[in-house]
Amino acid sequence: MVPVGPHPAVADVRKAVREALADVRKGALVLVACSGGADSLALAAALAFVAPRMGLRAGLLTVDHQLQPGSAERARTVADIGAHRLDLSPAEVLTVTVGAEGGPEAAARDARYAALAQAADRLQAEAVLLGHTRDDQAETVLLGLARGSGVRSLSGMAARGGRYRRPLLHIPRATTVKACAALELDPWDDPHNEDPRYTRVRVRRRILPVLEAELGPGVAEALARTAGMAREDADALDQWAESAYQNCALSDIPGPVTLAVPELEKLPDAVRRRVLRRAAIAAGAPSGALSATHVLAVDRLVTSWHGQKAVDLPGGLSAVRRYGTLILAISPIA
C-alpha cells in the first residue's frame, strides 16, 4: 500500500503549529524566527504549510549575530530558503550587534529578542513563532534547578508570552530532525551548539545524557512535564499574591509603598514573599537586580521583628518597619 499523507514527524509539527495559531484572526501576519537549525527550520516549513490553509499570512525572520565568520552569508541562505523554497513573505535578515552584558549567551539573546520585537512591530505581526522544543525545555529546567531560583524558574519557558509562541515545547528535538529529513531540508548545525564554553551546551551534551544513562530514558520528557506543573503552581501563587498585595497595600499612590504588617503575617511564606517582591518593584527596585536574598531580608522585618534597622534594596531603596507598617521607599526614609 502506498503511504498516504505526510511523514509522521512532519504531521506532528504541523499539528502543533495549527493548534498554536487556532485563535489568530484571519488575514493576520505570523512570523517564524528561524536560525536554520532543525528545530526552527521544521517550524518554518510547518508554518508555510499551515498558514495559508488557516487564512493567515506567513513570514520569516533570521538574525545575524555577527559572531562567526560567514554569518551574513548563512543568514542570507536561511532567508532565501524561506522566500524561495517555503514561499514565506517577508523573509528578512536582521543584523544585530551583540554586547557583553550578562555574558555571551544572555547578550546574544537580548540582542535577538530586541531585533525580533522591532521587526514584528514594523511588520505589524500578530505572532512570532519560536522553535524551542521539549529538549530545550528540559535544559531550561535543569539550569533553573542549578541556580536554585524557585518554582518560577523551574517552570521553564511559557508556550505563550506576549506575541511569542512556542508550538514545539511538547515535541522532542529528534522529531524536528526527522521532519527536515522527510521534507529534504538541510538544517545548519551551529558550531556554538557544540561549544562547551556555553552552560546550556554542557547541560545538553554532558548532563542530560548522564541522567538518561543512569535513570533511564524519558528524563527530558519528565523534566518538561515538571515545567508545565511548576508553571501552573507559579501562576496560581502569583495570582494569589497579587490579590494579597491589594489587601495589604495601604496606599496606591506612586512612590513609597506601605504594607500592613498584620495582613502580611496572615499569609503563607510563598505568597508573602511574592507580595514583598511585588512591593519592592512597585517602589522602584529593578526587578533584575532584586534577588531572593533581598526579599528574605525584607521578610524578616515581618516574621522576625526585633527592632532591626532598615534593609537596603537595589535602586537606592530601603525597607523599614514602623508601628505595624512596612515602608519601602527611596532612601533615606523620612
Side-chain angles (χ1 to χ4, degrees):
M1 179 180 292
V2 177
V4 178
H7 186 281
V10 175
D12 285 347
V13 178
R14 288 175 178 174
K15 180 175 183 288
V17 171
R18 196 159 44 243
E19 291 174 349
L21 299 180
D23 64 335
V24 177
R25 61 180 177 83
K26 291 189 181 302
L29 174 64
V30 178
L31 300 170
V32 58
C34 184
S35 67
D39 301 338
S40 60
L41 195 57
L43 182 62
L47 177 64
F49 179 86
V50 168
R53 290 163 175 78
M54 296 181 68
L56 304 173
R57 296 178 292 129
L60 176 147
L61 302 174
T62 186
V63 178
D64 174 15
H65 297 86
Q66 303 187 90
L67 296 177
Q68 302 172 30
S71 64
E73 182 180 352
R74 280 191 294 273
R76 187 69 260 163
T77 298
V78 173
D80 287 344
I81 291 172
H84 305 303
R85 174 75 186 275
L86 301 178
D87 199 26
L88 295 169
S89 179
E92 297 187 2
V93 175
L94 308 177
T95 302
V96 301
T97 299
V98 177
E101 186 174 353
E105 292 175 278
R109 181 176 61 249
D110 290 346
R112 178 167 61 253
Y113 275 99
L116 292 174
Q118 290 172 5
D121 286 341
R122 170 170 51 82
L123 297 168
Q124 298 183 318
E126 189 156 317
V128 178
L129 304 188
L130 304 175
H132 299 111
T133 65
R134 190 175 72 190
D135 299 73
D136 295 307
Q137 186 74 299
E139 294 160 12
T140 301
V141 173
L142 280 177
L143 289 168
L145 184 63
R147 288 192 294 265
S149 42
V151 67
R152 176 56 71 187
S153 183
L154 293 182
S155 67
M157 295 175 284
R160 293 190 181 189
R163 60 161 58 95
Y164 299 109
R165 305 188 181 199
R166 297 179 173 90
L168 308 183
L169 281 184
H170 64 286
I171 289 179
R173 185 171 292 128
T175 297
T176 66
V177 173
K178 292 176 183 176
C180 286
L183 295 170
E184 298 183 347
L185 294 169
D186 187 19
W188 173 63
D189 293 322
D190 187 346
H192 282 175
N193 290 334
E194 302 294 333
D195 190 339
R197 290 179 300 173
Y198 297 101
T199 306
R200 186 174 287 270
V201 172
R202 296 196 298 274
V203 169
R204 179 180 306 157
R205 299 303 181 194
R206 299 176 185 176
I207 307 302
L208 269 173
V210 169
L211 291 176
E212 294 274 357
E214 296 297 328
L215 302 178
V219 170
E221 181 179 2
L223 287 168
R225 187 167 58 250
T226 297
M229 293 186 288
R231 180 165 294 278
E232 291 176 356
D233 291 348
D235 287 345
L237 287 168
D238 286 347
Q239 290 172 14
W240 185 358
E242 182 60 30
S243 177
Y245 176 82
Q246 301 303 327
N247 290 334
C248 295
L250 298 175
S251 173
D252 58 2
I253 63 173
V257 173
T258 54
L259 304 173
V261 171
E263 293 299 319
L264 290 170
E265 291 174 331
K266 298 175 184 178
L267 299 173
D269 292 351
V271 178
R272 185 180 61 254
R273 288 166 187 164
R274 280 171 165 78
V275 170
L276 297 177
R277 178 176 176 81
R278 162 81 163 79
I281 293 171
S287 60
L290 190 64
S291 69
T293 301
H294 293 127
V295 175
L296 288 173
V298 177
D299 192 45
R300 286 192 288 272
L301 296 178
V302 178
T303 62
S304 184
W305 172 245
H306 51 78
Q308 61 264 46
K309 65 178 183 179
V311 172
D312 292 329
L313 299 172
L317 267 68
S318 289
V320 66
R321 175 170 170 165
R322 288 180 180 165
Y323 307 107
T325 300
L326 189 67
I327 307 169
L328 297 95
I330 299 294
S331 303
I333 297 176

